[in-house]
Amino acid sequence: MNFAAFYSYVFLSAYTPGPNNIMSMTNAGKYGLKKTFPFNLGILIGFLAVMSCCAAFCALLYDFIPAVQPVMLWVGAAYILWLAWTVWRDKPHEEKRGAARSNSLMAGLLLQFVNVKVILYGITVMSSFVLPNYHSFAAVAGYVVLLSLIGFSGTCCWLLFGAAVEHFFKRYGRILNAIMALLLVACAASMLMELGK
């Protein structure tokens, strides 16, 4: 395996903006580090589940990707646009009754199953790097855990950044919400551009 290419792809994917990282930073900026950590644990659990599915069904999915990919892209883009809408319409200084829904372990977990970036990332890593080189259950399971932990480290970095700039979120919340919503829209748009390729 080309480890330089593998780690470059994995770390670049884990640390660049995407739904997990943007939501982690936004939630930390609004609710603080401690209240957002369960959301990140949900991301880790969901990431483990999605990476496991990608590893187990990669060969099968590879045959069906042309038929499944447009549906995954539309569903994922629609969900990310809904997240952008909720971030945009959020009122930064109000007490959040809905925080439990968008900043919970379950919200982080479920996000992984519609997060096309994570699904395509898992399929790409498994089909391009892992499965051509490793066939034992232990090796593949080890890579599932490794990929999940690297992804979790990326969201934790964005979580820490969001918590560090929490006072900015309180002062400039509307502007920052607009920027985060636009970044989520850009994620959705880039996913939908995949349909044109």
Side-chain angles (χ1 to χ4, degrees), residues 19 32 36 40 53 91 96 105 107 112 126 136 146:
T36 303
N40 281 53
C53 290
K91 294 183 177 39
K96 311 289 189 289
L105 185 134
Q112 304 321 294
M126 289 298 164
S136 74
L146 176 67

Side-chain angles (χ1 to χ4, degrees), residues 144-192:
V144 165
V145 171
L146 176 67
L147 294 168
S148 299
L149 290 174
I150 292 171
F152 182 64
S153 72
T155 60
C156 285
C157 283
W158 284 74
L159 168 79
L160 292 171
F161 178 72
V165 296
E166 183 178 1
H167 64 283
F168 287 112
F169 272 93
K170 289 186 172 134
R171 189 168 184 191
Y172 303 106
R174 194 70 184 138
I175 294 167
L176 292 169
N177 282 353
I179 292 168
M180 295 302 108
L182 289 172
L183 285 172
L184 286 168
V185 169
C187 288
S190 70
M191 289 166 37
L192 291 176

Side-chain angles (χ1 to χ4, degrees), residues 60-61 63-74 119 123 195:
L60 177 64
L61 287 176
D63 293 336
F64 293 106
I65 286 295
V68 173
Q69 186 180 17
V71 174
M72 290 190 322
L73 289 172
W74 280 107
I119 294 167
I123 291 169
L195 290 172

Side-chain angles (χ1 to χ4, degrees), residues 4 10 19 22 35 43 60 71 75 80 96 104 109 114 153 169 171 197:
V10 167
I22 292 170
K35 289 183 180 177
I43 288 174
L60 177 64
V71 174
V75 170
I80 291 168
K96 311 289 189 289
S104 66
L109 188 150
V114 295
S153 72
F169 272 93
R171 189 168 184 191
K197 291 182 179 179

Side-chain angles (χ1 to χ4, degrees), residues 23-80:
M23 288 303 296
S24 184
M25 182 182 75
T26 302
N27 287 343
K30 288 191 286 190
Y31 311 118
L33 182 71
K34 191 174 182 181
K35 289 183 180 177
T36 303
F37 196 71
F39 176 80
N40 281 53
L41 285 178
I43 288 174
L44 174 62
I45 294 166
F47 211 97
L48 280 165
V50 169
M51 289 301 109
S52 297
C53 290
C54 288
F57 301 110
C58 194
L60 177 64
L61 287 176
Y62 189 76
D63 293 336
F64 293 106
I65 286 295
V68 173
Q69 186 180 17
V71 174
M72 290 190 322
L73 289 172
W74 280 107
V75 170
Y79 182 72
I80 291 168

